[in-house]
Amino acid sequence: MRMRTTAVATVAVALSAALAVPAVAAPSGPGAGTGSTTAATATGDHRATHRAMEAAVAAGVPGVTATARDGRGTWAATAGVGDLRTERKRSPQDRYRVGSITKTFVATVLLQLEAEGKLSLDDTVDTWLPGLVTGNGHDGTRITLRQLLNHTSGVFDYTADEDFGRTYFTKEGGFFEHRYDTLAPEELVRIALAHEPDFEPGTSWNYSNTNYVLAGMVIEKATGRPYGEEVRRRVIDPLHLTATSVPGTRSSLPRPSSRAYSKLAPTATGPTYDVTRINPSLAHSAGEMISDSKDLNRFYRALLTGRLLPREQLEEMTTMVPVDATRAYGLGLMRTTLSCGVAVWGHGGGIHGSVSEAVTTEDGRHSLAFNLNGDWAGDTEAVIEAEFCGG
């Protein structure tokens, strides 16, 4: 499992044990610094953010796209390229894989179901998925839905399984042979349960993608519909998130979009591979969604300002478990206190060739979402700090 060095989430993982490297500066490769920086809409002074984006490209990321919204309006910019072969620039309208940002959508749906009386976050996993979470010390009768959502369940993270990471995230292990595999959520859970738990339920905190695979399965059991359909009808459609989708097994990215690139190895050097096309079922409800920066800003603003959840459920979502001195995790939501004292709420996410961040202030007045189309370099923390603290 890769833990990224971001202000929003050290837990914004790229679902890979094999790619266990932080975002570090990498030597420039072919096309690493090509392409100019373009501003699509300029409102207010976001020069520090712009510089941080350019620094990510200088560090080796092919390209960056970002959109911010504050009291002065909307600002969007890009840096670098979206295609190393053609040197086509990135677009502010690019759609991209958002990885673990999916978790906030899933938690929102579960909290809506609680508000409707269809389930309780104090229900055990076994109540909804009887007999599924058992073996090697795992016990679904002792794990609550709340513990899934705030990562205090202790359930092992299936992406930390060495065979899984090698097979699906490295060139040598078989990425190109397995990139179109369809993996059922039950298979992902079985991989996790082959390992012992990280800790007893409720006694500690550890980020586990398995938690949100199980959460998606609970949504399906409680509603009788695919979790993605519930996300669409409860969140995507009401907010008119026209660039947001739950792809299921679809391997392509909808247009407009850029190419996604990875080293497919635990290194920031070496060959760069186009990994745009993958079957995202390997992430399921832990990280398969697609969106763009405008939609992500709209989603988090709506969420934090009470448009998606009643007050009681929003308070549950924002009840935090400390992660470290500056970060805490709620229910599918991370709160980070930046160097200037500003607190931002949101989530980060990574999946093959795509690293994304989306954050907003608690009042929803200032938001930022951006994406890097390479997964081996670039300081995402610096971009967030620049936008909210200047520089």
Short mmCIF file of all heavy atoms in Angstrom, two decimals, residues 198-258:
data_model
loop_
_atom_site.label_atom_id
_atom_site.label_comp_id
_atom_site.label_asym_id
_atom_site.label_seq_id
_atom_site.Cartn_x
_atom_site.Cartn_y
_atom_site.Cartn_z
N ASP A 198 -5.25 -6.43 11.55
CA ASP A 198 -4.21 -5.50 12.00
C ASP A 198 -4.27 -5.28 13.51
O ASP A 198 -3.24 -5.03 14.15
CB ASP A 198 -4.35 -4.16 11.28
CG ASP A 198 -4.09 -4.28 9.79
OD1 ASP A 198 -3.18 -5.03 9.41
OD2 ASP A 198 -4.79 -3.61 9.01
N PHE A 199 -5.49 -5.35 14.08
CA PHE A 199 -5.70 -5.14 15.51
C PHE A 199 -7.14 -5.51 15.85
O PHE A 199 -7.95 -5.77 14.95
CB PHE A 199 -5.43 -3.67 15.92
CG PHE A 199 -6.09 -2.66 15.01
CD1 PHE A 199 -7.44 -2.33 15.14
CD2 PHE A 199 -5.35 -2.02 14.02
CE1 PHE A 199 -8.05 -1.40 14.30
CE2 PHE A 199 -5.95 -1.09 13.16
CZ PHE A 199 -7.30 -0.78 13.31
N GLU A 200 -7.45 -5.55 17.13
CA GLU A 200 -8.82 -5.83 17.56
C GLU A 200 -9.73 -4.67 17.17
O GLU A 200 -9.32 -3.50 17.24
CB GLU A 200 -8.87 -6.02 19.08
CG GLU A 200 -8.24 -7.31 19.56
CD GLU A 200 -9.07 -8.52 19.14
OE1 GLU A 200 -10.28 -8.54 19.42
OE2 GLU A 200 -8.50 -9.43 18.50
N PRO A 201 -10.97 -4.94 16.74
CA PRO A 201 -11.86 -3.86 16.31
C PRO A 201 -11.98 -2.75 17.36
O PRO A 201 -12.17 -3.02 18.55
CB PRO A 201 -13.20 -4.58 16.12
CG PRO A 201 -12.83 -5.99 15.83
CD PRO A 201 -11.61 -6.27 16.64
N GLY A 202 -11.83 -1.51 16.89
CA GLY A 202 -12.02 -0.36 17.75
C GLY A 202 -10.85 0.01 18.63
O GLY A 202 -10.94 0.98 19.39
N THR A 203 -9.73 -0.70 18.52
CA THR A 203 -8.60 -0.43 19.42
C THR A 203 -7.50 0.42 18.79
O THR A 203 -6.60 0.87 19.49
CB THR A 203 -7.97 -1.75 19.91
OG1 THR A 203 -7.43 -2.47 18.79
CG2 THR A 203 -9.01 -2.61 20.63
N SER A 204 -7.56 0.65 17.48
CA SER A 204 -6.53 1.43 16.81
C SER A 204 -7.08 1.94 15.49
O SER A 204 -8.28 1.84 15.22
CB SER A 204 -5.27 0.57 16.59
OG SER A 204 -4.20 1.37 16.13
N TRP A 205 -6.20 2.47 14.66
CA TRP A 205 -6.59 3.01 13.36
C TRP A 205 -5.59 2.55 12.31
O TRP A 205 -4.38 2.61 12.52
CB TRP A 205 -6.61 4.54 13.40
CG TRP A 205 -7.12 5.18 12.12
CD1 TRP A 205 -8.40 5.53 11.84
CD2 TRP A 205 -6.34 5.54 10.96
NE1 TRP A 205 -8.49 6.08 10.58
CE2 TRP A 205 -7.24 6.10 10.02
CE3 TRP A 205 -4.99 5.43 10.64
CZ2 TRP A 205 -6.82 6.56 8.78
CZ3 TRP A 205 -4.57 5.87 9.38
CH2 TRP A 205 -5.48 6.44 8.47
N ASN A 206 -6.10 2.08 11.19
CA ASN A 206 -5.23 1.76 10.06
C ASN A 206 -6.07 1.76 8.79
O ASN A 206 -7.14 1.17 8.75
CB ASN A 206 -4.55 0.40 10.22
CG ASN A 206 -3.43 0.21 9.20
OD1 ASN A 206 -2.58 1.07 9.03
ND2 ASN A 206 -3.44 -0.92 8.51
N TYR A 207 -5.56 2.45 7.78
CA TYR A 207 -6.29 2.60 6.52
C TYR A 207 -6.37 1.25 5.80
O TYR A 207 -5.36 0.61 5.56
CB TYR A 207 -5.56 3.60 5.64
CG TYR A 207 -6.32 4.09 4.45
CD1 TYR A 207 -7.20 5.16 4.56
CD2 TYR A 207 -6.13 3.52 3.20
CE1 TYR A 207 -7.87 5.63 3.45
CE2 TYR A 207 -6.80 3.98 2.08
CZ TYR A 207 -7.67 5.04 2.21
OH TYR A 207 -8.34 5.50 1.10
N SER A 208 -7.58 0.83 5.45
CA SER A 208 -7.76 -0.45 4.78
C SER A 208 -8.80 -0.32 3.69
O SER A 208 -9.96 0.00 3.94
CB SER A 208 -8.21 -1.53 5.78
OG SER A 208 -8.55 -2.73 5.10
N ASN A 209 -8.39 -0.59 2.47
CA ASN A 209 -9.33 -0.54 1.35
C ASN A 209 -10.42 -1.60 1.47
O ASN A 209 -11.53 -1.43 0.97
CB ASN A 209 -8.57 -0.72 0.03
CG ASN A 209 -7.73 0.49 -0.29
OD1 ASN A 209 -8.24 1.56 -0.59
ND2 ASN A 209 -6.42 0.34 -0.21
N THR A 210 -10.13 -2.68 2.17
CA THR A 210 -11.13 -3.74 2.36
C THR A 210 -12.36 -3.19 3.08
O THR A 210 -13.49 -3.63 2.81
CB THR A 210 -10.54 -4.91 3.17
OG1 THR A 210 -9.25 -5.24 2.66
CG2 THR A 210 -11.44 -6.12 3.12
N ASN A 211 -12.17 -2.25 4.00
CA ASN A 211 -13.30 -1.66 4.70
C ASN A 211 -14.35 -1.12 3.74
O ASN A 211 -15.56 -1.28 3.95
CB ASN A 211 -12.82 -0.50 5.60
CG ASN A 211 -12.06 -0.97 6.82
OD1 ASN A 211 -12.32 -2.04 7.36
ND2 ASN A 211 -11.11 -0.17 7.27
N TYR A 212 -13.89 -0.47 2.68
CA TYR A 212 -14.84 0.17 1.77
C TYR A 212 -15.37 -0.77 0.70
O TYR A 212 -16.44 -0.54 0.14
CB TYR A 212 -14.22 1.45 1.19
CG TYR A 212 -14.44 2.60 2.16
CD1 TYR A 212 -13.66 2.74 3.29
CD2 TYR A 212 -15.48 3.49 1.97
CE1 TYR A 212 -13.89 3.75 4.20
CE2 TYR A 212 -15.71 4.53 2.86
CZ TYR A 212 -14.92 4.64 3.98
OH TYR A 212 -15.17 5.65 4.88
N VAL A 213 -14.65 -1.83 0.42
CA VAL A 213 -15.25 -2.90 -0.40
C VAL A 213 -16.43 -3.49 0.36
O VAL A 213 -17.52 -3.68 -0.21
CB VAL A 213 -14.21 -3.98 -0.73
CG1 VAL A 213 -14.88 -5.17 -1.42
CG2 VAL A 213 -13.09 -3.41 -1.61
N LEU A 214 -16.24 -3.74 1.65
CA LEU A 214 -17.34 -4.25 2.49
C LEU A 214 -18.48 -3.24 2.59
O LEU A 214 -19.67 -3.61 2.53
CB LEU A 214 -16.82 -4.60 3.89
CG LEU A 214 -15.89 -5.80 3.96
CD1 LEU A 214 -15.16 -5.83 5.30
CD2 LEU A 214 -16.66 -7.10 3.74
N ALA A 215 -18.15 -1.95 2.71
CA ALA A 215 -19.19 -0.92 2.79
C ALA A 215 -20.04 -0.90 1.52
O ALA A 215 -21.27 -0.76 1.59
CB ALA A 215 -18.55 0.45 3.03
N GLY A 216 -19.39 -1.05 0.37
CA GLY A 216 -20.15 -1.10 -0.88
C GLY A 216 -21.07 -2.31 -0.92
O GLY A 216 -22.21 -2.23 -1.41
N MET A 217 -20.60 -3.44 -0.41
CA MET A 217 -21.43 -4.65 -0.37
C MET A 217 -22.62 -4.47 0.57
O MET A 217 -23.72 -4.97 0.29
CB MET A 217 -20.58 -5.84 0.05
CG MET A 217 -19.47 -6.18 -0.95
SD MET A 217 -18.34 -7.47 -0.33
CE MET A 217 -19.40 -8.92 -0.50
N VAL A 218 -22.42 -3.75 1.67
CA VAL A 218 -23.53 -3.47 2.59
C VAL A 218 -24.59 -2.60 1.91
O VAL A 218 -25.80 -2.85 2.04
CB VAL A 218 -23.02 -2.81 3.88
CG1 VAL A 218 -24.19 -2.30 4.73
CG2 VAL A 218 -22.17 -3.79 4.68
N ILE A 219 -24.16 -1.60 1.17
CA ILE A 219 -25.11 -0.76 0.43
C ILE A 219 -25.96 -1.62 -0.49
O ILE A 219 -27.18 -1.47 -0.57
CB ILE A 219 -24.36 0.33 -0.37
CG1 ILE A 219 -23.77 1.37 0.57
CG2 ILE A 219 -25.30 1.00 -1.38
CD1 ILE A 219 -22.84 2.36 -0.11
N GLU A 220 -25.32 -2.54 -1.18
CA GLU A 220 -26.05 -3.40 -2.13
C GLU A 220 -27.03 -4.31 -1.40
O GLU A 220 -28.15 -4.54 -1.87
CB GLU A 220 -25.05 -4.18 -2.97
CG GLU A 220 -24.20 -3.26 -3.84
CD GLU A 220 -23.22 -3.98 -4.75
OE1 GLU A 220 -23.10 -5.22 -4.62
OE2 GLU A 220 -22.58 -3.30 -5.57
N LYS A 221 -26.63 -4.82 -0.24
CA LYS A 221 -27.52 -5.69 0.53
C LYS A 221 -28.71 -4.90 1.09
O LYS A 221 -29.86 -5.38 1.09
CB LYS A 221 -26.74 -6.34 1.67
CG LYS A 221 -27.46 -7.49 2.34
CD LYS A 221 -27.57 -8.69 1.41
CE LYS A 221 -28.17 -9.90 2.12
NZ LYS A 221 -27.24 -10.49 3.11
N ALA A 222 -28.46 -3.67 1.53
CA ALA A 222 -29.51 -2.86 2.14
C ALA A 222 -30.50 -2.29 1.13
O ALA A 222 -31.66 -2.03 1.47
CB ALA A 222 -28.88 -1.72 2.94
N THR A 223 -30.05 -2.09 -0.11
CA THR A 223 -30.91 -1.45 -1.11
C THR A 223 -31.39 -2.39 -2.20
O THR A 223 -32.37 -2.10 -2.90
CB THR A 223 -30.16 -0.29 -1.79
OG1 THR A 223 -29.04 -0.81 -2.53
CG2 THR A 223 -29.68 0.72 -0.77
N GLY A 224 -30.67 -3.52 -2.38
CA GLY A 224 -31.01 -4.42 -3.47
C GLY A 224 -30.53 -3.92 -4.82
O GLY A 224 -30.92 -4.46 -5.86
N ARG A 225 -29.69 -2.88 -4.83
CA ARG A 225 -29.17 -2.32 -6.07
C ARG A 225 -27.66 -2.19 -6.00
O ARG A 225 -27.10 -2.07 -4.91
CB ARG A 225 -29.79 -0.94 -6.35
CG ARG A 225 -31.26 -0.99 -6.74
CD ARG A 225 -31.81 0.40 -7.00
NE ARG A 225 -31.95 1.16 -5.76
CZ ARG A 225 -33.06 1.17 -5.02
NH1 ARG A 225 -34.11 0.47 -5.39
NH2 ARG A 225 -33.12 1.88 -3.91
N PRO A 226 -26.97 -2.17 -7.15
CA PRO A 226 -25.52 -1.98 -7.14
C PRO A 226 -25.16 -0.68 -6.42
O PRO A 226 -25.86 0.33 -6.54
CB PRO A 226 -25.16 -1.91 -8.62
CG PRO A 226 -26.26 -2.65 -9.33
CD PRO A 226 -27.50 -2.36 -8.52
N TYR A 227 -24.05 -0.71 -5.69
CA TYR A 227 -23.66 0.48 -4.94
C TYR A 227 -23.47 1.68 -5.87
O TYR A 227 -23.79 2.82 -5.53
CB TYR A 227 -22.39 0.21 -4.12
CG TYR A 227 -21.12 0.65 -4.81
CD1 TYR A 227 -20.61 1.93 -4.63
CD2 TYR A 227 -20.45 -0.20 -5.69
CE1 TYR A 227 -19.46 2.35 -5.29
CE2 TYR A 227 -19.31 0.20 -6.34
CZ TYR A 227 -18.81 1.47 -6.14
OH TYR A 227 -17.69 1.88 -6.80
N GLY A 228 -22.95 1.42 -7.08
CA GLY A 228 -22.74 2.51 -8.03
C GLY A 228 -24.03 3.16 -8.46
O GLY A 228 -24.07 4.38 -8.70
N GLU A 229 -25.08 2.39 -8.57
CA GLU A 229 -26.39 2.96 -8.91
C GLU A 229 -26.88 3.86 -7.79
O GLU A 229 -27.47 4.92 -8.02
CB GLU A 229 -27.39 1.85 -9.19
CG GLU A 229 -28.76 2.36 -9.62
CD GLU A 229 -29.73 1.24 -9.94
OE1 GLU A 229 -29.26 0.15 -10.33
OE2 GLU A 229 -30.96 1.44 -9.80
N GLU A 230 -26.64 3.45 -6.55
CA GLU A 230 -27.05 4.28 -5.41
C GLU A 230 -26.24 5.57 -5.35
O GLU A 230 -26.79 6.64 -5.06
CB GLU A 230 -26.89 3.50 -4.11
CG GLU A 230 -27.90 2.38 -3.93
CD GLU A 230 -29.32 2.89 -3.90
OE1 GLU A 230 -29.64 3.71 -3.00
OE2 GLU A 230 -30.11 2.51 -4.79
N VAL A 231 -24.95 5.50 -5.64
CA VAL A 231 -24.13 6.71 -5.70
C VAL A 231 -24.67 7.64 -6.78
O VAL A 231 -24.78 8.86 -6.57
CB VAL A 231 -22.66 6.36 -5.96
CG1 VAL A 231 -21.85 7.62 -6.30
CG2 VAL A 231 -22.05 5.65 -4.76
N ARG A 232 -25.03 7.07 -7.92
CA ARG A 232 -25.52 7.91 -9.02
C ARG A 232 -26.83 8.59 -8.66
O ARG A 232 -26.96 9.81 -8.80
CB ARG A 232 -25.71 7.06 -10.28
CG ARG A 232 -26.25 7.86 -11.48
CD ARG A 232 -26.58 6.95 -12.64
NE ARG A 232 -27.54 5.90 -12.27
CZ ARG A 232 -28.84 6.11 -12.10
NH1 ARG A 232 -29.37 7.32 -12.23
NH2 ARG A 232 -29.64 5.10 -11.78
N ARG A 233 -27.80 7.85 -8.16
CA ARG A 233 -29.12 8.44 -7.96
C ARG A 233 -29.20 9.30 -6.69
O ARG A 233 -30.04 10.19 -6.61
CB ARG A 233 -30.20 7.36 -7.94
CG ARG A 233 -30.29 6.49 -6.72
CD ARG A 233 -31.35 5.41 -6.90
NE ARG A 233 -31.69 4.77 -5.64
CZ ARG A 233 -32.67 5.18 -4.83
NH1 ARG A 233 -33.38 6.24 -5.15
NH2 ARG A 233 -32.93 4.55 -3.69
N ARG A 234 -28.29 9.07 -5.74
CA ARG A 234 -28.33 9.82 -4.49
C ARG A 234 -27.38 11.02 -4.46
O ARG A 234 -27.61 11.97 -3.70
CB ARG A 234 -27.99 8.89 -3.31
CG ARG A 234 -29.05 7.85 -3.02
CD ARG A 234 -28.54 6.85 -2.00
NE ARG A 234 -29.60 5.93 -1.57
CZ ARG A 234 -30.44 6.17 -0.58
NH1 ARG A 234 -30.36 7.30 0.11
NH2 ARG A 234 -31.37 5.27 -0.26
N VAL A 235 -26.31 10.95 -5.25
CA VAL A 235 -25.30 12.00 -5.19
C VAL A 235 -25.03 12.61 -6.57
O VAL A 235 -25.14 13.82 -6.75
CB VAL A 235 -23.99 11.47 -4.59
CG1 VAL A 235 -22.94 12.59 -4.52
CG2 VAL A 235 -24.22 10.88 -3.20
N ILE A 236 -24.67 11.78 -7.53
CA ILE A 236 -24.25 12.29 -8.84
C ILE A 236 -25.37 13.05 -9.53
O ILE A 236 -25.19 14.21 -9.97
CB ILE A 236 -23.73 11.14 -9.72
CG1 ILE A 236 -22.46 10.55 -9.12
CG2 ILE A 236 -23.48 11.63 -11.15
CD1 ILE A 236 -21.96 9.31 -9.84
N ASP A 237 -26.54 12.44 -9.65
CA ASP A 237 -27.65 13.09 -10.35
C ASP A 237 -28.19 14.32 -9.63
O ASP A 237 -28.37 15.37 -10.26
CB ASP A 237 -28.77 12.08 -10.62
CG ASP A 237 -28.40 11.06 -11.68
OD1 ASP A 237 -27.34 11.23 -12.34
OD2 ASP A 237 -29.15 10.09 -11.86
N PRO A 238 -28.45 14.26 -8.31
CA PRO A 238 -28.96 15.45 -7.62
C PRO A 238 -28.02 16.66 -7.70
O PRO A 238 -28.49 17.80 -7.75
CB PRO A 238 -29.14 14.98 -6.18
CG PRO A 238 -29.33 13.51 -6.27
CD PRO A 238 -28.46 13.08 -7.41
N LEU A 239 -26.72 16.42 -7.71
CA LEU A 239 -25.77 17.52 -7.77
C LEU A 239 -25.37 17.88 -9.20
O LEU A 239 -24.57 18.79 -9.42
CB LEU A 239 -24.50 17.17 -6.97
CG LEU A 239 -24.65 17.04 -5.46
CD1 LEU A 239 -23.30 16.71 -4.81
CD2 LEU A 239 -25.25 18.29 -4.83
N HIS A 240 -25.92 17.16 -10.18
CA HIS A 240 -25.60 17.39 -11.60
C HIS A 240 -24.09 17.30 -11.85
O HIS A 240 -23.49 18.17 -12.48
CB HIS A 240 -26.14 18.75 -12.06
CG HIS A 240 -27.60 18.92 -11.80
ND1 HIS A 240 -28.57 18.22 -12.51
CD2 HIS A 240 -28.27 19.70 -10.90
CE1 HIS A 240 -29.77 18.57 -12.05
NE2 HIS A 240 -29.62 19.45 -11.08
N LEU A 241 -23.50 16.23 -11.34
CA LEU A 241 -22.07 15.98 -11.53
C LEU A 241 -21.88 15.28 -12.87
O LEU A 241 -21.74 14.06 -12.95
CB LEU A 241 -21.52 15.15 -10.37
CG LEU A 241 -21.75 15.71 -8.96
CD1 LEU A 241 -21.15 14.79 -7.91
CD2 LEU A 241 -21.18 17.12 -8.82
N THR A 242 -21.87 16.04 -13.92
CA THR A 242 -21.94 15.48 -15.27
C THR A 242 -20.66 14.76 -15.70
O THR A 242 -20.67 14.00 -16.67
CB THR A 242 -22.27 16.58 -16.28
OG1 THR A 242 -21.29 17.63 -16.16
CG2 THR A 242 -23.66 17.17 -16.01
N ALA A 243 -19.56 15.01 -15.02
CA ALA A 243 -18.30 14.35 -15.37
C ALA A 243 -17.98 13.17 -14.45
O ALA A 243 -16.92 12.57 -14.59
CB ALA A 243 -17.15 15.36 -15.32
N THR A 244 -18.88 12.86 -13.54
CA THR A 244 -18.61 11.85 -12.52
C THR A 244 -19.33 10.55 -12.85
O THR A 244 -20.50 10.57 -13.24
CB THR A 244 -19.05 12.36 -11.14
OG1 THR A 244 -18.38 13.60 -10.88
CG2 THR A 244 -18.72 11.37 -10.04
N SER A 245 -18.63 9.43 -12.67
CA SER A 245 -19.24 8.14 -12.98
C SER A 245 -18.62 7.04 -12.15
O SER A 245 -17.54 7.19 -11.59
CB SER A 245 -19.07 7.81 -14.47
OG SER A 245 -17.69 7.73 -14.82
N VAL A 246 -19.34 5.93 -12.06
CA VAL A 246 -18.85 4.70 -11.43
C VAL A 246 -18.69 3.69 -12.57
O VAL A 246 -19.67 3.14 -13.05
CB VAL A 246 -19.83 4.19 -10.37
CG1 VAL A 246 -19.28 2.95 -9.67
CG2 VAL A 246 -20.13 5.28 -9.33
N PRO A 247 -17.46 3.44 -13.03
CA PRO A 247 -17.28 2.71 -14.29
C PRO A 247 -17.53 1.22 -14.23
O PRO A 247 -17.72 0.59 -15.28
CB PRO A 247 -15.82 3.01 -14.64
CG PRO A 247 -15.17 3.28 -13.33
CD PRO A 247 -16.20 3.95 -12.49
N GLY A 248 -17.48 0.60 -13.05
CA GLY A 248 -17.68 -0.85 -13.00
C GLY A 248 -16.49 -1.58 -13.60
O GLY A 248 -15.39 -1.54 -13.06
N THR A 249 -16.70 -2.21 -14.75
CA THR A 249 -15.61 -2.93 -15.42
C THR A 249 -15.13 -2.21 -16.68
O THR A 249 -14.29 -2.74 -17.40
CB THR A 249 -16.06 -4.35 -15.80
OG1 THR A 249 -17.19 -4.27 -16.69
CG2 THR A 249 -16.46 -5.15 -14.57
N ARG A 250 -15.66 -1.02 -16.94
CA ARG A 250 -15.26 -0.28 -18.15
C ARG A 250 -13.81 0.17 -18.02
O ARG A 250 -13.43 0.84 -17.07
CB ARG A 250 -16.17 0.93 -18.35
CG ARG A 250 -15.93 1.65 -19.68
CD ARG A 250 -16.86 2.84 -19.85
NE ARG A 250 -16.50 3.93 -18.95
CZ ARG A 250 -17.30 4.47 -18.05
NH1 ARG A 250 -18.52 4.01 -17.90
NH2 ARG A 250 -16.90 5.47 -17.28
N SER A 251 -12.99 -0.16 -18.99
CA SER A 251 -11.56 0.09 -18.89
C SER A 251 -11.13 1.44 -19.43
O SER A 251 -10.03 1.91 -19.11
CB SER A 251 -10.77 -1.01 -19.62
OG SER A 251 -11.09 -1.02 -21.00
N SER A 252 -11.95 2.08 -20.23
CA SER A 252 -11.57 3.34 -20.86
C SER A 252 -11.99 4.53 -20.01
O SER A 252 -12.87 4.42 -19.14
CB SER A 252 -12.20 3.45 -22.24
OG SER A 252 -13.62 3.42 -22.13
N LEU A 253 -11.36 5.66 -20.26
CA LEU A 253 -11.75 6.92 -19.63
C LEU A 253 -12.64 7.70 -20.59
O LEU A 253 -12.34 7.80 -21.78
CB LEU A 253 -10.52 7.77 -19.30
CG LEU A 253 -9.74 7.46 -18.03
CD1 LEU A 253 -8.48 8.33 -17.99
CD2 LEU A 253 -10.59 7.71 -16.80
N PRO A 254 -13.73 8.29 -20.09
CA PRO A 254 -14.54 9.14 -20.96
C PRO A 254 -13.79 10.41 -21.34
O PRO A 254 -12.92 10.87 -20.59
CB PRO A 254 -15.77 9.45 -20.10
CG PRO A 254 -15.32 9.27 -18.69
CD PRO A 254 -14.27 8.21 -18.73
N ARG A 255 -14.11 10.97 -22.47
CA ARG A 255 -13.45 12.19 -22.91
C ARG A 255 -14.23 13.42 -22.43
O ARG A 255 -15.44 13.33 -22.26
CB ARG A 255 -13.33 12.19 -24.44
CG ARG A 255 -12.42 11.08 -24.94
CD ARG A 255 -12.27 11.13 -26.44
NE ARG A 255 -11.38 10.07 -26.93
CZ ARG A 255 -11.09 9.87 -28.21
NH1 ARG A 255 -11.63 10.67 -29.12
NH2 ARG A 255 -10.28 8.90 -28.56
N PRO A 256 -13.51 14.56 -22.25
CA PRO A 256 -12.08 14.76 -22.43
C PRO A 256 -11.29 14.13 -21.29
O PRO A 256 -11.73 14.11 -20.14
CB PRO A 256 -11.93 16.28 -22.42
CG PRO A 256 -13.06 16.75 -21.55
CD PRO A 256 -14.20 15.80 -21.82
N SER A 257 -10.11 13.64 -21.62
CA SER A 257 -9.24 13.05 -20.61
C SER A 257 -7.82 13.02 -21.15
O SER A 257 -7.59 13.17 -22.35
CB SER A 257 -9.70 11.62 -20.25
OG SER A 257 -9.74 10.80 -21.40
N SER A 258 -6.89 12.82 -20.24
CA SER A 258 -5.49 12.68 -20.60
C SER A 258 -5.06 11.23 -20.40
O SER A 258 -5.80 10.42 -19.84
CB SER A 258 -4.62 13.61 -19.74
OG SER A 258 -4.85 14.97 -20.06
#
